[in-house]
Amino acid sequence: MLIAGALFTLGAAVQASAPATLVLVAGRLIIGAGVGVAAVAAPLYAAELAPASWRGRFVSAYQLAITIGIFLAYLIDGWLSANASWRMMLGAAAAPGLLLFIVALVAPESPRWRMKMHRRDEAAVEIKKVVPAGDDIEADLNEIASALSHEPSGGARSEVSRSEWRRPQMVGLGLAIFQQVTGVNAIIYYADQIFGAADFVTEASRTTVTTWAIGGVNVLSTLIAIAFIDRLGRRKLLLTGLIGMAVSLIVVGGAFQFIAAPVAAAAFQSPRVPPGRAQPGSSRWSVWSRSSSRSRFRSGRSFGQ
C-alpha cells in the first residue's frame, strides 16, 4: 500500500505538470499501476486483519471506498471544471495518494504475514492492535499457524493450478469478467456524453445529474449492500444485484432506442439504484474470500483483478 500511495502521488504530480500529451499519458500509466497495486493489496489486507464474522463487511469496504471516491471526484471535478482548472483537477489525486501513503506508514502489519515470515513475537505485537481487549492472542496466533501449515510449500500460485480448485477459480474469474462486460463501467466513464444525448445540454446540468444520479446513488447502494451482506449471505445478495443490474441496463438500452431522450435520462439512473451494480461489486470479493482459503483468495483475486 505504501507503493500504491507513492505511485498515486507521483502520477498525479506528473499529470498536473505535463508539458505535452505523452507526459500526460505517462502520468496516467503511473496512476494505473498504483490502481493495480492497491486493488490487490487493500482487500487482501482487510481480509487478513478482519475477524471471520466481520470479513464480508471488511472486504466490502473496499467497494465502498471506490464509490465514495467516485462521488467525491464528481463533486471536486464539477467545481474545478467551472474554472477550467484541468491541471488542478488531475493534480488533486495526489491528496488521497499522499493520505494513503501516510496511513500505510502507521497501519499495523498483517499478523499473518509476520507469522509466515516466522516472526511470532512481532505477529503478537501486531495482532494486539487489531483484536478486542481480552482476546486470546495465543489462540489467534495458533489458528494462523495452523492455517499456514496447510499451505503448499510451492506457494499459493502453485496451488491455484490444481484441478480441485478449478471450479472456484472459474467462479471468481467469471464474477470479475461478467461484472465488467455488462457495460456498467462504460456508463460511468461516458456519463457526460450519455447525459448530453439525453437532453442535458449545459455542462452544469450534466455535472449535477452525474454527481447525484451516479455518484450519490452508487454510494447509497454500496452502504445497503454492506449492511445486508453478512445477514442475507453473499450468494443471495449477488443474485439480487445481478438481476437488478440486468433489468436496469435493458431499461437504459430500450429507453434510448425507443423513448424520448428526457425519459431515457431518467431510466439511465436505474443501474445505480439498489439492487444494482454495487451489490455485485461488494459480493464478488466476499464470495472469493469465503469460497477459498486466504492464500487462495490472495492469488485468485490477483487473477480476477
Side-chain angles (χ1 to χ4, degrees), residues 64-75 188 211 214-215 218-219 277:
L64 177 62
I66 291 176
T67 58
I68 291 176
I70 292 173
F71 180 58
L72 292 177
Y74 282 145
L75 287 175
I188 293 179
T211 299
I214 296 181
N218 205 11
V219 172
R277 186 257 190 184

Side-chain angles (χ1 to χ4, degrees), residues 42 47 110 138-139 143 147 216 220 248 259 274:
S110 167
E138 287 302 316
E143 182 182 352
L220 177 62
S248 298
I259 308 176

Side-chain angles (χ1 to χ4, degrees), residues 246-272:
V247 172
S248 298
L249 290 171
I250 291 172
V251 171
V252 171
F256 270 96
Q257 185 69 28
F258 302 110
I259 308 176
V263 179
F268 168 65
Q269 300 177 25
S270 59
R272 290 292 165 269

